[in-house]
Amino acid sequence: MLKTYRAKRGDRVTKGQLLATMTSAEMAGFDKEAISSSAELRNAQRSVKLTEDMFKSGLASERDLEQAKNDLMVKEAEDKRSRSILSLNGGNKNGTYVIKAPISGFIIDKNITSNMQVRPDNNENLFTIADLSNVWALINIYESDISKIKEGDEVNLSILSYPDKPFKGKISKIYNMLDNDSKVMNARVVIDNPGYLLKPGMMATVQIATRNGATLPVVSTDCLIFDNNKYYVLVLDPVKKVRIQEVEIGRKFENKAYINKGLNAGDRVVASKQLFLYDSLRPQ
């Protein structure tokens, strides 16, 4: 039965810190074995000393002395075994089981309360501790983007809690399975977390810098005109004439659109009142 617990969800703990103490019938048995083996070891040590004195006086045979020494070796081994079992189970001589933090970090989950009974068939962790000096982000990769994503690609993350602070990471693992329902593949991103700003459960917007060697022109999504299931922009040519240009969008991210076809780097596009100009320039 859980006797006391001193750590709560969200607490920062150090390696070896006491998290909880428990009373346990099994631990009481380990305590008893350790106490009994210590007493038997002391008796065996006294027996060897007494037999040695008797042997020197001629009152005990060499065989008696050898038997006493063999008994001592057995008792030493038994005492070492019982103490090791007690130590491995975190016990001590007051009949309690001590739970200590195996690593330094933050308690991200706790499944115990005071005076609850911990059953042997309970397969839940009593405490879950995580080192948040770097964290993992699980990102979704759509089927159309799978061929563009590689392990090692750099990732930029935007967090709602810190809109002006960018976070950077790298894809460390790609899970090569497609979810049947969402039709996305997952990838794991490792991110440094100075100051522990990133918390478990946060949501992020992700931008991946792929290595496909392609450089696409980019425009603001405000410049796009959608008409008859196609995208257009208004291009300003060198003689300051405006023309309608159909474009093919490769991808969108936040307020940016990456253009596969229709524009070249350096082209100037109209960014205001473009709908009015489009209506006046398109064929009627």
Side-chain angles (χ1 to χ4, degrees), residues 141-206:
I141 302 173
Y142 292 97
E143 190 172 355
S144 59
D145 295 326
I146 288 177
S147 63
K148 306 180 183 72
I149 305 301
K150 305 287 189 301
E151 289 187 6
D153 283 348
E154 294 184 354
V155 175
N156 296 317
L157 295 97
S158 300
I159 306 295
L160 182 63
S161 301
Y162 313 104
D164 299 325
K165 183 175 179 59
F167 293 89
K168 295 184 179 295
K170 287 187 177 182
I171 295 179
S172 64
K173 183 176 182 179
I174 294 177
Y175 300 90
N176 292 296
M177 293 291 292
L178 208 63
D179 185 89
N180 290 329
D181 297 324
S182 61
K183 297 302 180 183
V184 298
M185 186 174 70
N186 294 132
R188 184 178 69 202
V189 177
V190 178
I191 312 157
D192 288 334
N193 190 22
Y196 306 108
L197 297 179
L198 300 176
K199 318 295 183 186
M202 277 184 166
M203 302 295 290
T205 302
V206 177

Side-chain angles (χ1 to χ4, degrees), residues 34-50:
I35 293 171
S36 297
S37 64
S38 295
E40 291 177 359
L41 176 60
R42 290 192 295 270
N43 289 335
Q45 290 170 339
R46 286 194 294 267
S47 178
V48 168
K49 188 177 184 305
L50 179 61

Side-chain angles (χ1 to χ4, degrees), residues 12-105:
R12 185 177 180 180
V13 296
T14 57
K15 182 178 180 179
Q17 180 176 329
L18 178 64
L19 301 181
T21 57
M22 302 173 62
T23 57
S24 167
E26 186 178 19
M27 187 56 62
F30 294 149
D31 291 343
K32 181 181 178 181
E33 288 184 7
I35 293 171
S36 297
S37 64
S38 295
E40 291 177 359
L41 176 60
R42 290 192 295 270
N43 289 335
Q45 290 170 339
R46 286 194 294 267
S47 178
V48 168
K49 188 177 184 305
L50 179 61
T51 305
E52 285 177 341
D53 292 340
M54 293 176 65
F55 176 73
K56 292 176 182 178
S57 303
L59 299 176
S61 65
E62 185 175 351
R63 181 179 180 181
D64 293 335
L65 179 59
E66 187 67 24
Q67 182 64 46
K69 290 181 178 180
N70 289 340
D71 289 342
L72 176 60
M73 292 176 61
V74 172
K75 299 305 181 185
E76 286 175 339
E78 180 61 26
D79 184 65
K80 183 177 180 180
R81 183 194 67 83
S82 62
R83 289 178 181 276
S84 295
I85 292 176
L86 188 64
S87 176
L88 287 172
N89 286 276
N92 49 52
K93 293 301 179 64
N94 59 13
T96 59
Y97 184 90
V98 180
I99 303 174
K100 295 183 179 181
I103 61 171
S104 297

